[in-house]
Amino acid sequence: MNTRNVPRRGPGTLRQALAGPRYLLTSWPWRSLAYTLTTLVVGGVLFFVALPVYAPWTVFVAMVGQGHSTGELTVTFLSGLFTVVFFAPLVAIPLGALERRRLHLVMPDENSSGHRAPPAGLWGWARTRYSEAATWREVAYAVVMFPIFGLAFLVVVALATATIVLAISPLLLFNENEPAISMGWTTLTTPLEAMPYALVSPLTAALLLYACGLMSYGHGVIARALLVGPPKEELRAELDQVTESRARLVNAFEYERRRIERDLHDGAQQRLVALSMDLGMARIDLEEGSPADQRVVAAQAKADELIDELRELVRGIHPRVLTDRGLHDALQELADHCPVPVTVETAIPNRLPPHVEGTAYFVVAEALTNVYKHAGATAVTVRAHLAPGDLRALGAAQETTTAILTVEVTDNGVGGADQRKGSGLTGLSDRVAVMGGTMGLTSPEGGPTRIRVELPCGPIPTNPTP
Amino acid sequence: MRTDSHEPDAVTPVPTVLAEDGVLLREGLAGVLERFGFPVVAAVEDGEALVAAVTEHRPGLVVTDIRMPPDFTDEGLRAAVRLRQENPGLAVVALSQYVELSYATDLLDSGDGKGVGYLLKQRVGDVREFASVLRRVVEGATFVDPEVVRQLLRRSADPLERLTARERQVLELMAEGHSNGAIARKLVVSDAAVGKHVGNILAKLDLPPDDDVHRRVQAVLAYLRTQST
């Protein structure tokens, strides 16, 4: 809506216009003039409105050097500080809003405020506004408004008066009763004498318009720096970057887990199996039941236990079956390990990105653990299916997402589960959120409990498959 | 089990091709195989080489790791399935680091389902039992790791629920390739009782009477298929 006012022809910005030779032929001088004149109005009003805020300071300045006691000075100083801290934002915030609108005159870009959206209620508003930098930058702007106002006032009054007086001086002198006009270095007494000066008046008018342009530009730059937050595109780009780097981190984490799993499988576990086998071979040459044989049997049993433990550990880090066979088989394997009967229903036509499979797997693993520990359920259903995604639900960062994996774990237990009460689900919901997914838990008292996770299977950068 | 074990010196040697990518384990396995009458004619470390070695040496038994280079997923399994399709009657035992039902079904589906074994890698620690499994597979038995069967039994599905606890036990042992006699000894019941159980299992799984070994394999197969799909 703001770009409507931009001059279609000629220089695009005030700065370019000022630098060019045809400044006076564009709309910029008139916009600058309007800006400067409204600055005078706003500044004048501000003088009165802000009086309670700066009054203690004028008193303080007046008291300094007048032989007042330190105590009196301190009290005045503190009251000044108090009024600034408590009342300055109340003046500066509306001033900021007004000035951002006015700024469109000379800088017709997107001038969004740097304010955050406060929570509902007066207290929420106050807490947000008084604590954010944008507010205090607006206060600083209000302070800067005073010298700007002074400068604009002097320049405009001087140049405008000069222009007007010069322009009408011949007319004035037509009147015989009118005394001579003193020009400083000379005195004009007849209209004829005044004519050359009247011809100079367009020059002063031009000077006024240039001065307005320069002041408006300077004022605009200051207003921009103090009042305007980063443009939305910039914020969005930053957010996208953060989202991406977060996803990369999660992916790197996933990759690392798979590496550890592989190292344990191919390294430690293989060695243990070889050790167990060596012990088995040793037994062949020993007399069965002899003390040596018993020792070897015990050693072998320990090695086998270690193999089992290691296998369980590896399963918790990253299940091999997930890498090799995909989500369906991995979920089925989880179901097989769960003491509660679990039905697994999946409709996933193809393999998914590793981080999606990993997250879905661990969500189900955690859910099943909770079911077993807390729910007292006798039946659990795990459903997973892939569907075209609802892009709106995921925000702009996921525009390229093509499909969403939905995973549901439903049990017939006692219900009353709470995600916030320190279950492992909190960490998982963070992990889901990183991927731009959602996690929902419904668990009324008396059950049933249902955990539903939606994961976008978008093209988040993947590490090379190990 | 002592009753099932074969004394190393009293058997005909079975030339064997071994595929395992871990050096330590390959050496160890080769040692065990040699010791129990399975002279290793070739020890290789990936699926391609396994197929080549079998073509070259025509062994009586293949022992292969499921997960091997280059992809480290199921190269060994795929090679084994291919070998069994190309060489009917070739005994194959696949070793797996974790229980995966679909591996077992893939293997059992290859060929006629006879002379095939699927077991957890860690079982090789019990060398005598391991050798006995190999021997049974070479003789045409089907062996599925007890852990696989245990996992199947944990799943609830129709054909299983029709079996009694005892019948499930018997089926589990059948899946491990034991004969009726061996099952009877393990469960400390009479041969006749085991025969009755086996008959009931076959009837409940709707398997027609046929030659005993084949039906037993069918029972295990039918059972695995209903479970893993």
Side-chain angles (χ1 to χ4, degrees):
Chain A
M1 60 170 193
N2 306 317
T3 47
R4 210 174 37 201
N5 302 329
V6 181
R8 287 278 163 231
R9 283 161 295 169
T13 67
L14 175 58
R15 189 183 158 172
Q16 285 166 352
L18 278 168
R22 297 154 71 89
Y23 167 67
L24 291 176
L25 298 178
T26 64
S27 66
W28 289 111
W30 308 108
R31 296 166 77 96
S32 302
L33 184 65
Y35 189 65
T36 311
L37 292 178
T38 46
T39 298
L40 295 181
V41 176
V42 171
V45 172
L46 185 66
F47 250 116
F48 291 100
V49 174
L51 185 68
V53 181
Y54 66 78
W57 293 101
T58 48
V59 173
F60 176 72
V61 172
M63 280 162 69
V64 173
Q66 303 257 318
H68 290 279
S69 70
T70 321
E72 284 171 324
L73 284 173
T74 311
V75 167
T76 322
F77 182 82
L78 286 179
S79 71
L81 210 57
F82 175 82
T83 53
V84 165
V85 168
F86 284 91
F87 299 118
L90 297 179
V91 175
I93 290 171
L95 175 72
L98 174 69
E99 288 297 277
R100 269 189 295 277
R101 294 188 135 252
R102 219 160 57 78
L103 190 58
H104 289 306
L105 271 175
V106 290
M107 294 194 171
D109 299 317
E110 191 190 342
N111 295 326
S112 54
S113 87
H115 287 299
R116 293 192 301 261
L122 189 64
W123 174 233
W125 181 89
R127 225 176 28 182
T128 308
R129 285 290 173 265
Y130 277 87
S131 65
E132 60 188 354
T135 303
W136 299 101
R137 285 207 308 266
E138 282 169 341
V139 170
Y141 177 81
V143 174
V144 173
M145 260 309 264
F146 287 92
I148 289 176
F149 169 77
L151 180 70
F153 186 78
L154 287 179
V155 171
V156 168
V157 166
L159 286 175
T161 313
T163 306
I164 292 166
V165 168
L166 286 175
I168 64 171
S169 53
L171 298 174
L172 290 175
L173 292 172
F174 268 120
N175 187 342
E176 298 293 333
N177 302 330
E178 189 68 25
I181 300 170
S182 166
M183 279 302 187
W185 62 92
T186 176
T187 303
L188 308 174
T189 48
T190 66
L192 210 58
E193 270 179 340
M195 274 317 273
Y197 290 94
L199 291 177
V200 170
S201 72
L203 281 182
T204 55
L207 199 60
L208 173 66
L209 290 177
Y210 263 101
C212 283
L214 282 172
M215 285 192 304
S216 297
Y217 178 67
H219 188 173
V221 168
I222 292 170
R224 193 120 225 223
L226 289 174
L227 297 179
V228 178
K232 287 208 170 67
E233 297 81 49
E234 215 168 275
L235 286 177
R236 168 125 342 126
E238 252 169 54
L239 187 66
D240 282 359
Q241 246 175 8
V242 172
T243 311
E244 273 169 31
S245 78
R246 224 164 49 141
R248 273 199 300 275
L249 269 181
V250 167
N251 233 36
F253 176 64
E254 192 76 20
Y255 177 77
E256 200 54 17
R257 286 180 92 118
R258 274 180 289 150
R259 193 188 61 75
I260 293 168
E261 176 269 337
R262 207 171 56 236
D263 288 354
L264 284 175
H265 248 156
D266 297 345
Q269 211 167 15
Q270 299 276 9
R271 277 159 190 272
L272 279 171
V273 171
L275 168 68
S276 170
M277 201 162 51
D278 282 348
L279 291 170
M281 285 299 275
R283 279 191 67 197
I284 296 175
D285 302 324
L286 293 170
E287 192 191 326
E288 197 175 338
S290 68
D293 182 54
Q294 284 170 5
R295 288 265 170 83
V296 173
V297 168
Q300 198 176 18
K302 277 176 197 152
D304 288 346
E305 268 172 39
L306 207 53
I307 293 171
D308 283 337
E309 268 177 36
L310 196 60
R311 200 177 44 211
E312 284 308 304
L313 175 74
V314 166
R315 223 165 62 85
I317 295 172
H318 190 94
R320 190 68 233 174
V321 58
L322 184 61
T323 318
D324 292 353
R325 306 288 284 202
L327 197 54
H328 173 83
D329 286 357
L331 292 183
Q332 188 62 62
E333 200 223 6
L334 266 182
D336 291 338
H337 278 83
C338 183
V340 184
V342 179
T343 316
V344 177
E345 295 166 14
T346 63
I348 306 166
N350 48 314
R351 288 298 297 268
L352 306 172
H355 63 280
V356 174
E357 289 189 337
T359 306
Y361 175 89
F362 283 108
V363 165
V364 173
E366 187 61 41
L368 289 181
T369 308
N370 285 349
V371 167
Y372 166 57
K373 277 192 194 153
H374 309 297
T378 56
V380 189
T381 310
V382 175
R383 282 197 192 86
H385 70 271
L386 205 60
D390 178 6
L391 302 183
R392 281 165 305 160
L394 296 160
Q398 302 293 333
E399 266 160 18
T400 41
T401 300
T402 49
I404 290 183
L405 173 69
T406 306
V407 181
E408 267 182 7
V409 181
T410 314
D411 71 60
N412 65 352
V414 294
D418 189 343
Q419 197 168 328
R420 287 162 299 179
K421 281 183 191 156
S423 73
L425 285 173
T426 318
L428 282 167
S429 76
D430 286 347
R431 206 168 148 173
V432 169
V434 164
M435 298 169 48
T438 55
M439 180 183 223
L441 172 73
T442 56
S443 184
E445 286 297 335
T449 300
R450 167 178 299 187
I451 292 168
R452 183 190 169 93
V453 171
E454 290 186 0
L455 298 167
C457 307
I460 296 173
T462 48
N463 283 300
T465 318
Chain B
M1 289 298 115
R2 276 305 146 96
T3 45
D4 289 332
S5 71
H6 297 251
E7 284 310 312
D9 304 325
V11 292
T12 13
V14 179
T16 301
V17 169
L18 170 66
E20 159 66 57
D21 60 300
V23 185
L24 207 59
L25 212 51
R26 190 168 63 233
E27 296 304 315
L29 275 169
V32 172
L33 291 171
E34 300 273 358
R35 182 79 168 77
F36 285 91
F38 302 94
V40 177
V41 291
V44 298
E45 48 186 278
D46 63 64
E48 294 281 312
L50 170 61
V51 174
V54 169
T55 315
E56 188 192 337
H57 297 285
R58 303 260 143 222
L61 171 68
V62 168
V63 177
T64 178
D65 187 6
I66 280 183
R67 195 167 155 231
M68 281 190 295
D71 299 338
F72 293 98
T73 54
D74 56 356
E75 291 77 7
L77 179 79
R78 277 185 272 131
V81 169
R82 201 175 124 199
L83 284 173
R84 281 180 55 78
Q85 282 160 354
E86 288 169 3
N87 313 273
L90 173 66
V92 172
V93 171
L95 303 175
S96 174
Q97 274 178 338
Y98 58 91
V99 175
E100 175 49 51
L101 293 176
S102 54
Y103 288 166
T105 37
D106 285 358
L107 264 179
L108 290 169
D109 275 340
S110 67
D112 57 359
K114 285 195 236 174
V116 59
Y118 171 82
L119 68 160
L120 276 180
K121 229 174 205 179
Q122 69 192 77
R123 305 279 178 233
V124 303
D126 190 346
V127 291
R128 279 206 182 85
E129 174 65 17
F130 177 58
S132 133
V133 167
L134 295 182
R135 190 60 67 182
R136 271 181 274 159
V137 170
V138 167
E139 285 162 4
T142 304
F143 181 92
V144 178
D145 196 280
E147 190 55 40
V148 175
V149 181
R150 223 162 285 143
Q151 254 189 39
L152 281 179
L153 291 170
R154 248 184 259 148
R155 295 190 186 178
S156 55
D158 280 342
L160 269 188
E161 278 166 4
R162 280 185 270 156
L163 301 183
T164 64
R166 192 52 135 183
E167 284 162 1
R168 287 182 187 207
Q169 251 177 331
V170 172
L171 182 59
E172 196 173 331
L173 291 167
M174 278 165 67
E176 288 176 29
H178 292 285
S179 66
N180 282 10
I183 295 173
R185 281 194 297 280
K186 275 179 181 284
L187 297 180
V188 202
V189 294
S190 69
D191 280 15
V194 172
K196 203 183 89 201
H197 287 312
V198 172
N200 285 343
I201 294 167
L202 298 179
K204 283 182 181 179
L205 296 179
D206 300 325
L207 292 167
D210 198 345
D211 86 281
D212 188 50
V213 176
H214 197 224
R215 286 169 74 210
R216 294 166 76 91
V217 171
Q218 288 297 315
V220 175
L221 269 179
Y223 167 54
L224 291 177
R225 278 202 205 94
T226 49
Q227 298 310 307
S228 63
T229 47

